[in-house]
């Protein structure tokens, strides 16, 4: 056992050769491997010449730089159990007490490798990674079994409808018109606008004509034509106190209210996307843009933050390079 221990302790090729000469052949392991590192040059002249006769080469004839080359020795462990205590000191001279012949070879190899300055002992364990789970807050969310009108009322609630009603009556009074618009009429007016979006006619008044090919009974029975014309005074803010530096000042209260509602009813998602979106518009406005190669080339450009399924959490209209966009805090 002492000879095998010397093999493991051999750090240079010279010490390994001495240990191999002293170790009997019957005690050598059947599977042994030796790793020899490149030699270090101890003088200015690199040479491989030896001092012996070229026809009688042996281990004693190797150059000094090769004999001092570092080596590593590895072979199979003995299947024995450790029965004696051991003591270890740091450094290359790590040893054991006087009764260490009964300690298995695996113990020598572990301690010698851990005491080496160049190699760090690594212990690998095969196991699944412990991935921490994200604890989402159980925030109240609206139920999914809602009608389209109920979903609409989640965002256009009584607060924003009240603002629209008051500002529309204010605008009508400023132009010598009757300010008698009710809250229910605002909802009815928005419903007519929604219907006119997919059931289009060349002129708006055709919804109330007696012709069967143009008359829409759903619209004509909900509101008269003259009342709908009066409802065209729809406004969202007082024109006499518009904020400066905002090209969408007349509908800014609606934008602010919708952003709060979008965030309030947003689904819990980990991944979000921030990108631009186009709203088609072919009228006249200073913020209307043309982007070549887009599915919607003419319209308003919005910066939108949405979930992976397309739900809008945040949006900001693009007002050109002369208007500073508000910062986004995520």
């Amino acid at each position: 056992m002492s000879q095998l221990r010397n093999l493991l302790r051999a750090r240079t090729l010279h010490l390994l050769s001495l240990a191999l000469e002293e170790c009997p052949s019957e005690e050598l392991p059947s599977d042994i491997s030796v790793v020899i590192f490149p030699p270090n040059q101890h003088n200015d002249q690199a040479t491989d010449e030896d001092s012996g006769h070229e026809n009688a080469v042996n281990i004693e004839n190797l150059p000094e730089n090769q004999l001092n080359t570092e080596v590593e020795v590895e072979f199979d462990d003995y299947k024995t159990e450790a029965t004696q205590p051991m003591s270890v000191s740091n450094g290359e001279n790590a040893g054991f007490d006087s009764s260490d012949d009964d300690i298995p070879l695996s113990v020598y190899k572990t301690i010698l490798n851990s005491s080496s300055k160049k190699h760090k002992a690594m212990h690998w364990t095969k196991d699944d990674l412990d991935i921490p789970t994200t604890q989402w807050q159980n925030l109240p969310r609206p139920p999914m079994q809602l009608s389209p009108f109920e979903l609409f009322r989640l965002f256009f609630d009584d607060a924003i409808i009240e603002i629209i009603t008051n500002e529309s009556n204010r605008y009508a009074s400023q132009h010598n018109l009757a300010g008698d618009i009710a809250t229910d009429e605002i909802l009815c007016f928005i419903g007519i606008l929604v219907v006119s979006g997919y059931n289009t006619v060349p002129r708006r008044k055709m919804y109330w004509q007696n012709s069967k090919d143009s008359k829409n009974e759903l619209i004509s029975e909900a509101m008269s034509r003259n009342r709908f014309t009066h409802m065209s005074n729809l406004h969202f803010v007082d024109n006499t106190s518009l904020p400066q530096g905002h090209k969408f000042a007349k509908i800014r209260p609606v934008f602010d209210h919708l952003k709060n509602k979008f965030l309030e009813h947003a689904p819990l998602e980990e991944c979000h996307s921030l990108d631009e979106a186009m709203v088609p518009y072919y009228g006249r406005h200073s913020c209307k843009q043309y982007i070549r190669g887009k599915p919607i080339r003419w319209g308003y450009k919005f910066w939108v933050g949405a979930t992976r399924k397309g739900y809008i959490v945040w949006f900001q209209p693009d007002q050109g390079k002369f208007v500073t966009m508000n910062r986004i805090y995520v």
Side-chain angles (χ1 to χ4, degrees), residues 87-318:
S87 60
V88 183
S89 60
N90 296 329
E92 296 184 356
N93 295 326
F96 307 89
D97 57 7
S98 58
S99 60
D100 59 358
D101 288 341
D102 295 331
I103 300 176
L105 188 59
S106 59
V107 178
Y108 289 115
K109 293 177 64 177
T110 303
I111 296 177
L112 289 176
N113 290 333
S114 62
S115 62
S116 176
K117 296 181 179 180
K118 287 189 176 183
H119 303 283
K120 183 179 178 180
M122 304 295 293
H123 302 282
W124 299 94
T125 302
K126 184 178 180 181
D127 198 359
D128 295 334
L129 295 177
D130 186 12
I131 301 177
T133 57
T134 304
Q135 299 294 332
W136 296 98
Q137 298 181 2
N138 188 15
L139 299 177
R141 288 294 184 266
M144 300 303 296
Q145 293 79 17
L146 295 178
S147 64
F149 180 73
E150 291 174 339
L151 290 174
F152 172 80
R153 291 292 286 165
L154 288 179
F155 304 98
F156 282 83
D157 55 3
D158 294 337
I160 188 62
I161 297 298
E162 188 69 23
I163 293 176
I164 297 174
T165 303
N166 295 334
E167 296 301 332
S168 299
N169 289 327
R170 185 199 306 272
Y171 179 81
S173 300
Q174 291 173 353
H175 290 76
N176 298 324
L177 298 175
D180 56 350
I181 301 175
T183 302
D184 295 339
E185 290 180 319
I186 294 293
L187 294 174
C188 184
F189 181 80
I190 296 176
I192 294 176
L193 295 180
V194 173
V195 174
S196 64
Y198 61 85
N199 186 9
T200 59
V201 291
R203 295 182 303 273
R204 184 184 303 168
K205 294 181 179 181
M206 294 180 65
Y207 289 119
W208 288 270
Q209 288 181 354
N210 293 326
S211 178
K212 294 182 179 180
D213 60 344
S214 62
K215 184 178 181 180
N216 191 312
E217 295 183 357
L218 181 64
I219 295 177
S220 60
E221 294 179 0
M223 182 177 292
S224 65
R225 184 185 64 182
N226 294 335
R227 192 60 180 175
F228 181 84
T229 304
H230 178 71
M231 293 289 297
S232 300
N233 298 311
L234 193 71
H235 267 68
F236 307 97
V237 68
D238 187 5
N239 288 346
T240 60
S241 59
L242 292 177
Q244 300 296 326
H246 199 291
K247 296 183 179 180
F248 292 91
K250 289 191 174 183
I251 55 175
R252 185 173 182 178
V254 180
F255 283 177
D256 295 340
H257 179 82
L258 289 179
K259 284 191 292 186
N260 294 332
K261 287 300 179 179
F262 286 163
L263 184 60
E264 178 182 348
H265 301 294
L268 298 178
E269 291 285 347
E270 181 180 2
C271 300
H272 291 74
S273 174
L274 180 63
D275 204 348
E276 59 184 21
M278 291 292 293
V279 178
Y281 179 71
Y282 301 97
R284 293 184 178 182
H285 197 274
S286 59
C287 291
K288 187 182 69 173
Q289 300 185 21
Y290 170 77
I291 301 179
R292 179 182 300 177
K294 294 291 185 179
I296 302 175
R297 292 176 292 178
W298 293 96
Y300 300 116
K301 186 173 76 172
F302 280 74
W303 296 102
V304 176
T307 63
R308 59 185 179 90
K309 293 185 178 181
Y311 180 89
I312 297 177
V313 181
W314 171 91
F315 68 92
Q316 178 78 26
D318 184 72

Side-chain angles (χ1 to χ4, degrees), residues 7-45:
L7 286 176
L8 286 175
R9 289 177 174 175
R11 297 301 180 187
T12 63
L13 182 60
H14 179 64
L15 296 178
L16 177 63
S17 63
L18 295 179
L20 289 174
E21 290 179 353
E22 296 177 358
C23 183
S25 58
E26 60 273 6
E27 295 184 5
L28 288 176
S30 59
D31 186 8
I32 182 172
S33 60
V34 179
V35 179
I36 303 178
F37 296 94
N40 298 322
Q41 301 295 337
H42 295 283
N43 48 27
D44 296 336
Q45 298 180 356

Side-chain angles (χ1 to χ4, degrees), residues 315-328:
F315 68 92
Q316 178 78 26
D318 184 72
Q319 306 179 53
K321 61 181 179 180
F322 298 106
V323 179
T324 304
M325 187 175 65
N326 296 332
R327 295 196 178 196
I328 306 172

